[in-house]
Amino acid sequence: MTLRVPKLLKTAVISDDPHLAARFSSAMARKFYYLTVMDGPRMARPDANAEALRRNNALARIEADRVVLTGLSDAQLTAMTDLLPSKVVRLCGASDVESFALKSMVGNKRLIWGLENIGVGLLQALHEGRLIEFENGGPTTASVVGKSRHHVVCEAGNDLAEVNAANYAYALGASLTIIPKVDPKVSEQILEQFYASENGQQRLELQRELRDLCGDIELGSGASLSFFTKQLPFGVGFPAHPSTHIFTYPDCGVSLVNGFAAEQARSRGVNVAVLVDPEKTPAPEIDAATKALPKKRVFVRAYRGKAAEVTRITDMVDHYPYDLLVFATHCGDADGWRWTYEFTDSEGIERQLKVDIAIGIGRTDDDNLLKVVQFSYFHSLDGVDWSDPVAKADLYVGSAIKDYSEWSGREDFEPIHKETLDRVRSSAAMAMFDNNFIPMPVAIAGSSTPIIINNACVSWHELAARFTFANARAYIGTLFPVLPFEAENVANLILDKHWGKPLPEALWLSQVETYGKLDPRRPYVMTGVYIQKLRSTKEDVPRYIMKRLEDGRRHYARQVAHTSEKEQKNMQHVLDYYRNEAAGLHERWLKK
């Protein structure tokens, strides 16, 4: 049974109170529609303005005409109301829930639910057409059955993600099960074991461990799965079923909007593809994509060999208006250093911070100047291991990390000690023609929401979350190394034979046909909402690209004129990128 693509309600809820978000959802959600729920902007971050803009952009994608702001701080309310038209804003509290409900719901008895598994309670209330209320000690269960053969599984530990999972399941007619939160140390161990795994037996054991963490989930023939997960690829534990993953944090609600909005009626298809092959490893999948995609009416641009230098790829990833990006190269954690800082933070507290550092280096137009991207992995603060959640619970972090982020790069803020490391965990460096590319994008594809297929080895672990945060609506990567013939076969099947099918199903079928039904080898993992497809639509693609490049040029021309002297050089570089790309496109495709 093919899942129906839900329409988008033009009403949205922004809240940091999951119980309030669930109560408003019970009043506002409608059958065959998806109701958007997002958390509030994280105002403690240095990029708090960008946090509000991300939510504003997501609201624009659903063409929101009513935005309920509830359970937010004054600073969050100000950040959002400054961006939104006053006519769409509704400042609401718990007493306003009933005003959004259908008359038939208001007369019904409320569904009383406990304080756990609130997503299941919300979905049950939606099925029964009732408003939900939460009480300490109220009844609760961990699962509710839907009408479709799709099953949504949500890892506990983030109540607002459970609300999102319930609205997602309701929109797809799916069942929902809440599974216990996985200890962060266990998650890290599993991912590390996948990263270092060398044989099928090790991976079979890891599959069983993922399946065990999900408990008893009843799946019939033809079932499919969506996992709401903090970081684990649970779907690998269910190789007999197509699956996808949605990260519970950060910006779960934004990710769902990006996926659903792309599949609405009259939305653009996957019309512009970029292929990246630095020629660091055999990449027959790029040749396969070069042949397959034009047959699907897709405009293809390739960066191969020297064209795939770090700076060019960085600029393209961030600014070129692509709908599909395919990488083929090596990927893995880079070597680097451990830097130890001792400083007095802005609260007057003496701190010791150890940070693991990896760098990516790109060329610039100035032969005497290189562009350096620095990746930081926090190792410890005041002697407490940063990856130990139990020890960290008693650690006062205060302003230490924020101060480090703001002071890094200052001449008077230097480490007191440096030591070399063979591996900087989570750095996820991708080999380009000249140096390592360490993707840390804030927005990609000129603020579009593309699909990314990364055939690089072990490319899912960190990069899935980074690219999703940067608004990739779907991301396919690998958990462990793949051989060239595997990469070619999977890519060719996804981009040709299974084109137009829901992307998780296309990926699952491609792996089944590559490895066989009995072979549990499943290196590829998908992130993104289930109903997305690779599909093209009729469009004058060169003119579409030119319009996007011209829009980008005008935006950065304004930015250069109104930014600080410190930022002007970066802004000018991006402005030059848009100008050069537009000139090249005009010469190649639009010149009369």
Side-chain angles (χ1 to χ4, degrees):
M1 174 181 168
T2 302
L3 290 174
R4 176 176 182 167
V5 177
K7 296 179 181 179
L8 292 172
L9 285 172
K10 293 187 177 183
T11 297
V13 178
I14 300 181
S15 180
D16 277 349
D17 184 326
H19 295 93
L20 266 179
R23 292 184 63 193
F24 277 99
S25 293
S26 72
M28 298 160 66
R30 301 291 180 261
K31 196 173 184 181
F32 303 128
Y33 283 81
Y34 173 70
L35 170 66
T36 296
V37 174
M38 294 185 284
D39 62 346
R42 294 169 292 173
M43 303 307 294
R45 286 175 59 95
D47 60 345
N49 289 337
E51 285 278 298
L53 282 170
R54 283 170 54 74
R55 285 148 182 79
N56 184 66
N57 291 342
L59 293 171
R61 291 185 189 109
I62 67 169
E63 300 176 354
D65 57 17
R66 186 170 61 174
V67 181
V68 172
L69 304 179
T70 185
L72 298 172
S73 69
D74 290 343
Q76 290 173 309
L77 289 172
T78 299
M80 293 309 306
T81 54
D82 283 350
L83 294 173
L84 295 169
S86 58
K87 64 181 180 180
V88 310
V89 174
R90 303 288 188 273
L91 303 181
C92 295
S95 61
D96 298 306
V97 170
E98 193 173 292
S99 66
F100 291 90
L102 297 173
K103 289 183 179 179
S104 59
M105 299 175 69
V106 174
N108 287 346
K109 186 178 179 181
R110 305 292 196 266
L111 176 67
I112 305 301
W113 198 261
L115 301 183
E116 295 182 350
N117 301 330
I118 68 172
V120 171
L122 170 58
L123 186 54
Q124 186 68 43
L126 292 172
H127 285 326
E128 296 177 7
R130 295 202 276 167
L131 297 175
I132 191 169
E133 302 236 356
F134 297 97
E135 291 184 0
N136 191 16
T140 180
T141 61
S143 188
V144 62
V145 177
K147 292 184 178 180
S148 73
R149 288 185 291 183
H150 195 66
H151 205 116
V152 178
V153 180
C154 182
E155 180 184 357
N158 185 318
D159 285 346
L160 196 61
E162 288 191 29
V163 175
N164 279 311
N167 285 323
Y168 176 92
Y170 188 59
L172 298 178
S175 301
L176 173 62
T177 297
I178 309 297
I179 62 173
K181 178 183 177 181
V182 181
D183 185 297
K185 283 191 171 182
V186 173
S187 295
E188 290 292 339
Q189 288 169 1
I190 290 173
L191 289 172
E192 278 292 297
Q193 287 170 333
F194 268 119
Y195 185 97
S197 63
E198 296 180 351
N199 60 63
Q201 185 57 41
Q202 289 174 301
R203 293 163 192 153
L204 269 175
E205 292 170 1
L206 290 168
Q207 282 185 348
R208 281 194 291 269
E209 190 168 355
L210 288 171
R211 198 158 53 245
D212 290 344
L213 288 170
C214 293
D216 251 346
I217 298 176
E218 294 185 13
L219 298 173
S221 175
S224 54
L225 293 152
S226 289
F227 292 94
F228 282 67
T229 172
K230 180 69 171 69
Q231 63 182 139
L232 284 177
F234 289 110
V236 176
F238 299 83
H241 302 275
S243 64
T244 189
H245 303 79
I246 295 101
F247 292 117
T248 56
Y249 181 88
D251 293 352
C252 179
V254 175
S255 298
L256 295 173
V257 166
N258 291 340
F260 281 127
E263 292 301 325
Q264 297 303 298
R266 299 184 300 280
S267 62
R268 291 183 62 254
V270 175
N271 299 337
V272 183
V274 173
L275 313 177
V276 179
D277 172 18
E279 298 179 347
K280 290 290 186 177
T281 183
E285 66 269 33
I286 297 297
D287 294 325
T290 302
K291 294 175 183 177
L293 289 171
K295 293 188 294 184
K296 308 298 182 185
R297 299 185 304 178
V298 177
F299 182 96
V300 178
R301 179 171 184 177
Y303 291 76
R304 307 194 80 160
K306 193 175 188 301
E309 291 184 335
V310 170
T311 299
R312 294 191 68 183
I313 297 305
T314 302
D315 288 341
M316 175 275 294
V317 167
D318 289 352
H319 304 296
Y320 191 76
Y322 54 88
D323 306 306
L324 171 66
L325 175 57
V326 181
F327 283 109
T329 188
H330 289 299
C331 182
D333 289 341
D335 57 11
W337 305 268
R338 178 164 295 158
W339 292 356
T340 301
Y341 292 85
E342 291 184 352
F343 60 96
T344 303
D345 69 18
S346 56
E347 297 179 76
I349 304 172
E350 296 296 322
R351 317 306 300 247
Q352 184 192 76
L353 178 64
K354 293 188 177 183
V355 186
D356 295 348
I357 302 292
I359 61 172
I361 301 174
R363 304 176 192 274
T364 69
D365 295 333
D366 184 342
D367 291 338
N368 298 314
L369 190 66
L370 296 174
K371 185 176 182 179
V372 179
V373 172
Q374 178 177 304
F375 171 82
S376 301
Y377 180 87
F378 297 120
H379 176 73
S380 66
L381 176 63
D382 299 340
V384 176
D385 188 336
W386 194 254
S387 64
D388 186 340
V390 176
K392 250 173 69 174
D394 296 325
L395 172 68
Y396 179 72
V397 177
S399 65
I401 302 302
K402 184 178 180 181
D403 290 340
Y404 164 79
S405 299
E406 292 177 354
W407 298 346
S408 290
R410 278 183 8 189
E411 291 184 3
D412 61 341
F413 189 71
E414 291 289 330
I416 62 166
H417 179 69
K418 294 183 180 181
E419 59 182 293
T420 59
L421 296 175
D422 293 332
R423 177 193 172 200
V424 176
R425 284 185 58 177
S426 304
S427 53
M430 298 171 64
M432 292 298 122
F433 183 81
D434 51 349
N435 286 300
N436 281 336
F437 169 46
I438 300 181
M440 292 194 296
V442 175
I444 56 177
S447 296
S448 295
T449 59
I451 293 170
I452 296 178
I453 300 176
N454 196 341
N455 257 327
C457 297
V458 294
S459 58
W460 187 82
H461 301 259
E462 284 293 324
L463 296 183
R466 284 190 219 165
F467 277 109
T468 300
F469 177 76
N471 282 332
R473 68 178 184 266
Y475 180 94
I476 293 174
T478 61
L479 280 176
F480 46 84
V482 293
L483 297 172
F485 84 89
E486 300 174 80
E488 177 184 19
N489 207 46
V490 170
N492 196 41
L493 288 166
I494 291 174
L495 299 177
D496 194 355
K497 181 178 179 180
H498 300 304
W499 179 271
K501 296 174 182 174
L503 195 50
E505 294 177 20
L507 176 61
W508 177 73
L509 288 167
S510 298
Q511 294 202 86
V512 168
E513 292 173 32
T514 298
Y515 305 111
K517 289 185 177 180
L518 300 180
D519 189 340
R521 182 174 170 81
R522 297 288 187 272
Y524 290 90
V525 182
M526 178 177 159
T527 305
V529 306
Y530 194 91
I531 48 82
Q532 294 177 83
K533 298 176 181 177
L534 286 171
R535 57 181 181 86
S536 60
T537 52
K538 188 175 181 180
E539 181 177 59
D540 185 337
V541 176
R543 293 195 181 281
Y544 163 77
I545 296 174
M546 180 60 80
K547 180 182 184 306
R548 292 291 308 279
L549 293 174
E550 285 296 314
D551 289 345
R553 180 191 63 77
R554 284 191 290 269
H555 172 75
Y556 278 92
R558 292 192 296 270
Q559 293 291 101
V560 167
H562 297 93
T563 194
S564 65
E565 185 177 344
K566 181 179 178 181
E567 289 296 320
Q568 277 190 355
K569 192 165 188 176
N570 288 334
M571 294 295 178
Q572 186 63 49
H573 173 83
V574 178
L575 177 58
D576 291 342
Y577 170 82
Y578 278 112
R579 284 173 172 164
N580 293 336
E581 286 293 322
L585 181 73
H586 182 270
E587 181 68 23
R588 175 69 176 82
W589 292 100
L590 300 174
K591 189 175 181 180
K592 298 289 186 179

